[in-house]
Amino acid sequence: MTPELRPLDTRRRTLLLAVGTTALTGLASACTGGRDGTEAAAGRAAAVRAATPNPSGPPPNCVLAAETGEGPYYTPKSQIRSDVTEDRQGVPLRLDLQVVRAAEGCAPLAKVAVDIWHADASGLYSQHGAGYLRGTQSTDGDGRVSFRTIVPGWYAHIAPHVHFKVRPGRRTAVSSQLFLPEDLLNTVYAVDPYSRRKAPAHPNTRDDRFASKGARLTLDPVRDGSGYRASFVIGIV
């Protein structure tokens, strides 16, 4: 079963846009002021941040962010589900995503497929038929999906991250990844099961990709029970 995909003219350039995580408080002028506001928003390069763990209402400014590619571990046929944890142990992470169209005043996009996937606490991706920490959902009428997972572990010299792919059409897709603050990672990696391996002192800053793109793609999680919760807005034009 495949989520229903929203058709998109493949001749148009698909861009990834992102706004900072946490609060979606206050409606930015770019999302209410028509064409001029939208064009102004699309030209900004700095991430916009706010502060609530439970995003609701219209999205703020759409801000250009860099694509980073899907990497070698993407699986095109993930299960359609919200909770991707399966049997993986780790600190819970709830990830709330919203997909909007920047060219239409940040209008939410419904019925758009969104995939996420990432490594477990040991730094391993599911492969060879396994499906842990992978999942796909179709956005609701407000362009939203919510995934329940765990904080990803580290591997090699790569900054820990959650991959995501947005598929607005059968021939169009946008892939990138979301990072986590280094102080949060250091806190998480001090507890089991992450502490079964010696964590790097600086899991993010040793990664050149994080140094160049991390400011636009780093989540700002808040405490949520025994784990964390973060939100992120993705826009396409």
Side-chain angles (χ1 to χ4, degrees):
M1 181 176 180
T2 302
E4 182 181 352
L5 301 181
R6 188 184 183 104
L8 183 69
D9 184 350
T10 56
R11 293 172 299 176
R12 295 174 61 184
R13 186 164 58 108
T14 301
L15 293 177
L16 172 69
L17 302 143
V19 283
T21 54
T22 60
L24 303 184
T25 55
L27 178 60
S29 61
C31 296
T32 58
R35 222 176 251 281
D36 291 342
T38 301
E39 291 173 356
R44 294 189 179 95
V48 175
R49 293 179 183 272
T52 179
N54 185 21
S56 61
N61 276 14
C62 300
V63 181
L64 284 170
E67 286 193 67
T68 61
E70 66 185 33
Y73 298 112
Y74 175 65
T75 299
K77 295 183 179 180
S78 297
Q79 293 186 53
I80 299 173
R81 57 184 179 176
S82 175
D83 190 335
V84 303
T85 309
E86 293 194 9
D87 62 347
R88 299 295 103 169
Q89 300 298 307
V91 173
L93 174 65
R94 174 170 172 166
L95 186 58
D96 300 317
L97 303 176
Q98 185 179 28
V99 181
V100 302
R101 189 180 294 287
E104 296 177 3
C106 307
L109 290 180
K111 298 182 180 180
V112 171
V114 179
D115 310 307
I116 71 162
W117 67 102
H118 64 84
D120 67 6
S122 298
L124 300 176
Y125 283 83
S126 56
Q127 298 183 71
H128 311 301
Y132 61 80
L133 305 180
R134 298 178 182 274
T136 299
Q137 288 189 67
S138 185
T139 56
D140 65 15
D142 294 321
R144 300 181 188 277
V145 294
S146 182
F147 289 96
R148 292 187 179 276
T149 185
I150 62 171
V151 174
W154 73 96
Y155 62 94
H157 61 285
I158 307 300
H161 54 276
V162 175
H163 290 277
F164 69 89
K165 176 180 262 190
V166 176
R167 294 181 281 131
R170 288 179 174 81
R171 294 185 177 87
T172 57
V174 180
S175 299
S176 193
Q177 56 193 267
L178 299 172
F179 300 101
L180 291 142
E182 196 162 84
D183 57 348
L184 182 149
L185 292 174
N186 287 332
T187 297
V188 168
Y189 291 165
V191 303
D192 189 68
Y194 305 91
S195 59
R196 298 173 192 175
R197 299 186 296 151
K198 181 176 175 57
H202 300 287
N204 282 344
T205 52
R206 62 200 185 123
D207 187 340
D208 291 341
R209 292 179 309 165
F210 178 85
S212 63
K213 302 173 183 177
R216 299 183 190 179
L217 296 169
T218 299
L219 296 167
D220 189 10
V222 296
R223 285 296 260 174
D224 183 35
S226 61
Y228 296 89
R229 182 174 182 175
S231 60
F232 203 82
V233 177
I234 306 160
I236 60 175
V237 296

